[in-house]
Amino acid sequence: AQSVTQLGSHVSVSEGALVLLRCNYSSSVPPYLFWYVQYPNQGLQLLLKYTTGATLVKGINGFEAEFKKSETSFHLTKPSAHMSDAAEYFCAVSDRGNQGGKLIFGQGTELSVKP
Amino acid sequence: KAGVTQTPRYLIKTRGQQVTLSCSPISGHRSVSWYQQTPGQGLQFLFEYFSETQRNKGNFPGRFSGRQFSNSRSEMNVSTLELGDSALYLCASSLDPSGGYNEQFFGPGTRLTVL
């Protein structure tokens, strides 16, 4: 069965530092890939997605992710962290050929940003 | 355009009771998915409805059920509540063009506490 692994349940960076959140998926057939962010007491907001085409995907708030098929990875990066980036981040996948709404999520990575 | 709305936002029930949660999708969206979020299990897919039919189902017991109405609004029901059902229940909606993936938009969730 498809699974998603996020390395590190907590990541702490200093303001202005690089943010790197890691995500690996298990499928031999590359799925659709997503990163979501969740702020306290809120739902999930899509940061970016990879469905097809260019493997470097740019999202909102300065985030980007690179799909690497050989590594089955989809790591999320941001060159310079801001205090407002503190939140929980979820990597998710959806099988190609799956009609619409079944996302499989990783366990989440809580990002802390130190001043 | 209004986002996904979920009612109620907070709910407290006791063991053995049943509960119904409601989700109104974005106007024009025909697919509604439900997810359970807990600290221990993370985000887990419950089920998806499209055109009033359950299209995908996760691995939850039969106590969890749902339905979708002709206006795409959806409800989920949990019968015989257990303490472990305490969670944030998230609803997501999406368009459903044939082929390809379409983005899921999440509501703020309903926080269910079972005492």
Side-chain angles (χ1 to χ4, degrees):
Chain A
Q2 178 72 267
S3 66
V4 180
T5 302
Q6 290 183 238
L7 188 62
S9 58
H10 292 90
V11 170
S12 182
V13 300
S14 298
E15 193 172 20
L18 171 71
V19 175
L20 171 60
L21 305 182
R22 300 177 188 273
C23 173
N24 289 87
Y25 62 91
S26 65
S27 173
S28 58
V29 176
Y32 298 122
L33 295 154
F34 310 87
W35 277 99
Y36 283 87
V37 62
Q38 186 177 35
Y39 297 99
N41 299 315
Q42 293 187 27
L44 301 174
Q45 180 183 13
L46 181 68
L47 281 175
L48 48 79
K49 64 179 183 287
Y50 172 77
T51 55
T52 188
T55 56
L56 182 62
V57 180
K58 294 186 184 300
I60 62 171
N61 302 338
F63 285 94
E64 61 183 37
E66 186 172 10
F67 165 61
K68 291 187 176 180
K69 183 179 177 181
S70 61
E71 299 177 6
T72 60
S73 69
F74 191 57
H75 302 331
L76 181 71
T77 60
K78 182 174 181 178
S80 177
H82 191 271
M83 297 296 289
S84 61
D85 294 327
E88 187 149 24
Y89 292 79
F90 293 92
C91 181
V93 303
S94 177
D95 286 337
R96 294 179 186 271
N98 171 43
Q99 287 182 301
K102 180 178 179 180
L103 290 170
I104 298 169
F105 287 88
Q107 286 293 335
T109 298
E110 186 175 353
L111 176 66
S112 301
V113 182
K114 299 174 290 186
Chain B
K1 189 182 264 190
V4 178
T5 57
Q6 293 187 244
T7 56
R9 291 291 312 276
Y10 301 91
L11 207 49
I12 299 175
K13 293 286 188 179
T14 56
R15 280 180 298 173
Q17 288 186 310
Q18 75 165 20
V19 67
T20 299
L21 312 181
S22 181
C23 172
S24 292
I26 292 171
S27 177
H29 285 194
R30 298 169 63 194
S31 168
V32 173
S33 298
W34 289 89
Y35 296 85
Q36 181 196 64
Q37 185 177 22
T38 60
Q41 299 299 315
L43 278 154
Q44 294 185 286
F45 173 77
L46 280 156
F47 29 64
E48 182 213 4
Y49 286 86
F50 174 72
S51 291
E52 302 177 64
T53 301
Q54 189 180 86
R55 187 162 65 175
N56 283 293
K57 188 177 187 305
N59 295 322
F60 279 82
R63 301 185 297 108
F64 291 81
S65 63
R67 59 177 175 169
Q68 187 180 34
F69 302 94
S70 58
N71 62 359
S72 294
R73 190 177 70 86
S74 177
E75 290 181 346
M76 67 163 283
N77 184 78
V78 188
S79 62
T80 319
L81 283 166
E82 300 177 359
L83 294 178
D85 297 333
S86 294
L88 181 67
Y89 290 88
L90 293 164
C91 165
S93 75
S94 66
L95 292 167
D96 193 48
S98 57
Y101 183 85
N102 43 96
E103 178 181 342
Q104 291 192 42
F105 294 82
F106 282 80
T110 294
R111 172 77 61 186
L112 172 65
T113 302
V114 182
L115 303 176

